[in-house]
Amino acid sequence: MALLTKAVRGTNDVLPFTGYKTKYIEDMMLSISESFGFSEIRTPVFEHTELFDRSVGETTDVVQKEMYTFNDKGGRSITLKPEGTAGVVRAFLEHGLFNEAMPQKYAYVTPCFRYEKPQAGRLREFHQFGVECFGADNASADAEIISLAYRIFAFFEVEDLRLEINSIGCPECRKKYQDALKEYFKAHTGELCETCLGRLERNPMRILDCKSPVCSSIAKEAPKILDYICDDCRAHFESVKKYLDKMEIEYTVNPSVVRGLDYYTRTVFEFISDSIGAQSAVCAGGRYDGLVEELGGPSTPACGFAIGLERFMLLLEARNISLPEKNPVDLYIASMNEEANLVASKLAFDLRDEGVICLFDIFGRSLKSQMKYANKIGATFTMVLGEDEIAKGKVKVKCMMDGSEEELELESFTDNFTDMEFNKAMEGFSDVFDSDDAYENNEE
Ligand code: HAM
């Protein structure tokens, strides 16, 4: 087979065999975040390029090297979103959501696009589950979002991630730190990469997350921000730690967590895994108190995080964590002829309205191959409709698990089938309760 083209490098297809897992994960993450008061928000996949230049930051790797930017037919510079936060902040401002009762808490699932070198856990199109909380400057907000990420990981039984936290201070304390960094890196100008040389004057902190091996080894010995933060930022950081201690959420303070995006202030954090290779940050986030104002809005403190969903899936695979199975097909209706197939189509139509997953033949296949197909898809029940069944108004429904059969009236078939299905499920339960083991356990 000569394919015209293949998927673009660094992108993934989600196939039906695993699609339900992705959906389950996203639904559960959204639902857990709902219990923390976060409501779902969706923003467009592309935005005006300047939004990311101003928020993510012009000196970051993401803006300098990784964005999918193009001019649309109207000559506007458009960028596919490289991350979720900027679009949410833009929507928060554009729709005047800052006038609503604070805090405003939003959760989202979004595709993101970065032109990075693909490898395990690093894609050019990837997906984030993220949350953003606006309006709260208290340390309890930082701790609350961290506890939300923690809850999500605990729900999926991924409990051995390392939570690393740090404070990168406010613009005030950062000035002193930037000066110290400049001085340190100036002694290494001969070794820094060209991009970092450009960053030296404008934003030396970005040299700290340069991916070049030489720059990153120089960065290891650079001054640490925690030695420079002001009293207010330090008190905030101590308070975040207190809240985490109270919730018994373990963490380590890692002064080299500085994040690769410019909008962060004060608390930054990452959840790190040792089981998915070099791209080990499964979740990352922090506080960004200046961003709303930077984008033209009223001064509004904010914080949030994003979990990389592909990395999260890798983690589940690496740790052999199984997810609930895909819902099976409840009933397959095989038909002997065209007329029976017509009846099957109506039965299926009505059953589906009651939530029964029901399939019938849409191929015109022989009865034998219909039954083969029913077997292959693992239908829980099957039935065969032919002239006799239609004439008598009765049909035998077979349970494929134990081979038992039950005759049901075609009249009010939906009710008859759902009652039978329910009784069969209860039989399954009563088997468990009737067993000696269960009885003995009850007695204890
Ligand atoms: P980020 O660290 O750039 O932060 O990305 C968050 C997460 O997205 C990472 O921890 C990782 O799991 C995943 N990720 C990033 N790049 C890739 C990639 N190329 N392939 C696969 N997964 C990737 C942000 O995006 C911030 N917006 C997070 C945030 C929200 N901060 C505050 N609110």
Side-chain angles (χ1 to χ4, degrees):
M1 198 166 54
L3 288 184
L4 175 68
T5 179
K6 286 188 167 179
V8 174
R9 194 161 120 82
T11 67
N12 268 346
D13 294 312
V14 176
L15 298 176
F17 325 110
T18 50
Y20 75 95
K21 289 191 191 170
T22 314
K23 168 128 180 42
Y24 173 77
I25 290 169
E26 293 174 2
D27 286 352
M28 292 325 292
M29 287 185 177
L30 285 168
S31 139
I32 295 168
S33 63
E34 213 180 325
S35 65
F36 282 69
F38 289 82
S39 314
E40 190 177 357
I41 186 167
R42 296 185 194 195
T43 65
V45 154
F46 50 76
E47 299 274 356
H48 292 290
T49 303
E50 67 219 56
L51 176 68
F52 303 113
D53 289 350
R54 281 296 278 278
S55 54
V56 172
E58 278 171 320
T59 54
T60 60
D61 266 0
V62 172
V63 168
Q64 288 195 332
K65 302 177 183 168
E66 296 168 2
M67 292 205 308
Y68 280 86
T69 297
F70 56 95
N71 281 342
D72 70 7
K73 296 205 190 304
R76 299 167 203 93
S77 179
I78 298 293
T79 294
L80 302 185
K81 59 172 138 170
E83 55 95 60
T85 309
V88 172
V89 176
R90 197 254 324 124
F92 174 77
L93 291 178
E94 191 164 337
H95 302 285
L97 300 175
F98 47 83
N99 292 317
E100 302 291 326
M102 290 290 159
Q104 286 288 300
K105 296 163 132 186
Y106 311 134
Y108 54 86
V109 174
T110 183
C112 298
F113 305 85
R114 294 185 194 176
Y115 192 80
E116 290 192 88
K117 197 164 179 210
Q119 66 177 87
R122 191 161 71 194
L123 293 153
R124 289 182 176 166
E125 184 199 33
F126 60 99
H127 296 79
Q128 287 185 343
F129 163 81
V131 300
E132 313 296 347
C133 170
F134 295 98
D137 62 2
N138 199 280
S140 58
D142 313 40
E144 183 180 66
I145 57 160
I146 293 175
S147 73
L148 167 55
Y150 183 90
R151 264 278 158 274
I152 289 174
F153 293 126
F155 174 82
F156 288 97
E157 294 174 11
V158 189
E159 273 149 351
D160 58 342
L161 293 175
R162 264 193 338 272
L163 168 61
E164 298 189 346
I165 64 170
N166 191 21
S167 172
I168 56 168
C170 60
E172 280 314 302
C173 37
R174 230 177 286 161
K175 271 185 210 142
K176 271 195 282 167
Y177 180 57
Q178 304 264 35
D179 290 342
L181 276 183
K182 265 185 215 167
E183 201 171 310
Y184 171 79
F185 283 121
K186 269 186 183 153
H188 295 274
T189 40
E191 300 151 81
L192 292 177
C193 75
E194 216 167 289
T195 316
C196 285
L197 282 177
R199 289 165 170 161
L200 190 53
E201 283 309 319
R202 290 168 64 204
N203 193 351
M205 253 179 94
R206 291 284 66 92
I207 303 176
L208 298 175
D209 40 62
C210 177
K211 288 167 194 131
S212 122
V214 178
C215 298
S216 51
S217 84
I218 298 170
K220 269 194 194 124
E221 304 302 321
K224 302 284 182 267
I225 179 81
L226 277 183
D227 297 328
Y228 293 82
I229 61 173
C230 63
D231 290 347
D232 282 354
C233 289
R234 191 168 302 281
H236 184 92
F237 192 47
E238 289 309 314
S239 183
V240 172
K241 291 198 274 182
K242 242 193 226 164
Y243 276 98
L244 294 178
D245 291 338
K246 184 74 187 166
M247 290 185 275
E248 296 177 22
I249 294 176
E250 281 180 27
Y251 57 84
T252 48
V253 175
N254 179 352
S256 26
V257 174
V258 288
R259 313 285 300 113
L261 315 173
D262 269 355
Y263 47 66
Y264 290 109
T265 51
R266 295 191 163 175
T267 317
V268 286
F269 62 90
E270 292 181 349
F271 283 85
I272 306 287
S273 162
D274 290 328
S275 29
I276 55 168
Q279 302 307 312
S280 56
V282 181
C283 168
R287 181 164 274 290
Y288 51 93
D289 288 345
L291 183 57
V292 174
E293 205 170 2
E294 178 72 27
L295 297 181
S299 167
T300 310
C303 56
F305 69 76
I307 296 175
L309 291 177
E310 285 79 1
R311 285 186 199 175
F312 184 73
M313 289 286 272
L314 282 181
L315 193 63
L316 295 185
E317 278 160 30
R319 337 204 75 262
N320 255 330
I321 291 170
S322 54
L323 298 175
E325 291 295 313
K326 190 171 187 240
N327 285 339
V329 171
D330 295 307
L331 174 66
Y332 184 84
I333 310 178
S335 41
M336 311 249 292
N337 56 36
E338 179 81 35
E339 198 207 330
N341 207 43
L342 215 55
V343 176
S345 75
K346 171 68 171 138
L347 291 178
F349 187 65
D350 292 344
L351 283 160
R352 290 163 177 173
D353 196 34
E354 288 303 311
V356 176
I357 304 181
C358 176
L359 299 186
F360 68 103
D361 181 47
I362 52 169
F363 253 98
R365 281 198 276 220
S366 71
L367 183 60
K368 195 172 160 203
S369 42
Q370 288 182 55
M371 293 315 288
K372 232 175 162 180
Y373 178 70
N375 236 333
K376 201 164 179 184
I377 59 174
T380 311
F381 294 94
T382 59
M383 64 190 232
V384 178
L385 263 189
E387 271 171 32
D388 278 2
E389 285 75 14
I390 294 171
K392 282 195 220 145
K394 287 182 179 171
V395 63
K396 277 189 183 147
V397 178
K398 181 171 179 178
C399 172
M400 301 301 278
M401 282 184 293
D402 59 12
S404 63
E405 286 189 324
E406 197 164 325
E407 195 166 57
L408 299 183
E409 306 257 346
L410 282 175
E411 177 93 16
S412 317
F413 184 76
T414 302
D415 288 346
N416 296 337
F417 178 78
T418 47
D419 286 351
M420 184 210 70
E421 206 183 17
F422 179 76
N423 291 337
K424 199 82 194 161
M426 291 315 285
E427 254 175 49
F429 283 121
S430 58
D431 279 357
V432 176
F433 288 122
D434 288 347
S435 77
D436 288 349
D437 281 359
Y439 184 69
E440 278 162 22
N441 288 342
N442 277 349
E443 278 202 324
E444 278 168 22

